[in-house]
Amino acid sequence: MTAEIEISQSLDGLTPQEKAWLLDDSNLDAMTVASEQLVWSDKANKQSYWLKNELKINTDSLKTGWVQFSQCHFQLDPVPKIEVAYHPENTRNLKVVAYQGIERAHATHHRVVLTNVTRGAQVCIQGESRTLTLLESGFYIQRGPYMRKFLDGYYPMIVEEIIELNKIRAVLVKHTPINPKAKESASSGGSYRFVYSFEGQLRPYYEFNTAQD
């Protein structure tokens, strides 16, 4: 299982007003945030931190297991420093393609470091992730964990995940976990979209069967 992303942050350097805003986010305080167990939530919204993740799978992905990804983080919290950490052995070619409300954003081998982040800031990152595994009849992708972790708890968040199949004939046959309120669609061009609203840690699993002639 691949640890896809974790955002770590602290209260160091925040003004009293910023600390109060963080600890009161979503009408919760630091003692009532959720545990790491996944719970579907209707408390998350796009006025708080949320993530959009796009995956592009091509014929090379089926040979190597490497998948291109584009990831945008919206409505970041105000902190002096944030590290977006990826699995060091399963991530490569990280780069920051756009950001706003952030003094500096730079990528290292498996981390993106954001400095002096203001409230509502956003950043978009591209790279490659080795998360595809071949099966006898197709392949699967294991993602996550996605989380909004703060101190010792987890706040509600939204993840939008889009999977694009580039010149690959395959059909989605299984995905977990299933959110009864999630919206998903599949186009004739092989694009799948999932929306998750949750607390705790989300680890999506997608299994595809390769289409036969």
Side-chain angles (χ1 to χ4, degrees), residues 14-136:
L14 296 187
T15 66
Q17 293 79 10
E18 289 172 333
K19 290 179 182 179
W21 179 82
L22 274 173
L23 294 176
D24 191 43
D25 190 38
S26 300
N27 294 318
L28 297 173
D29 59 39
M31 299 302 295
T32 60
V33 291
S35 69
E36 67 180 29
Q37 181 178 356
L38 176 68
V39 177
W40 303 122
S41 173
D42 58 1
K43 299 175 183 178
N45 58 67
K46 291 186 177 180
Q47 273 59 64
S48 298
Y49 170 73
W50 68 282
L51 171 67
K52 184 177 182 180
N53 199 37
E54 297 184 42
L55 311 176
K56 293 184 178 180
I57 303 171
N58 54 34
T59 52
D60 285 340
S61 301
L62 300 183
K63 299 175 183 178
T64 65
W66 289 94
V67 174
Q68 297 177 3
F69 72 85
S70 175
Q71 210 169 62
C72 290
H73 304 260
F74 300 96
Q75 298 294 342
L76 290 166
D77 295 325
V79 287
K81 181 180 179 181
I82 297 178
E83 291 188 355
V84 184
Y86 299 81
H87 194 293
E89 297 179 358
N90 295 326
T91 306
R92 68 185 185 187
N93 298 330
L94 275 183
K95 63 180 179 179
V96 177
V97 294
Y99 62 92
Q100 65 180 48
I102 301 168
E103 182 178 302
R104 184 169 183 258
H106 69 280
T108 63
H109 173 59
H110 66 281
R111 294 177 183 271
V112 173
V113 181
L114 312 178
T115 305
N116 291 335
V117 180
T118 61
R119 182 166 61 187
Q122 64 186 58
V123 61
C124 291
I125 302 162
Q126 289 182 351
E128 294 178 83
S129 178
R130 187 165 55 187
T131 54
L132 185 148
T133 302
L134 288 177
L135 298 170
E136 183 176 348

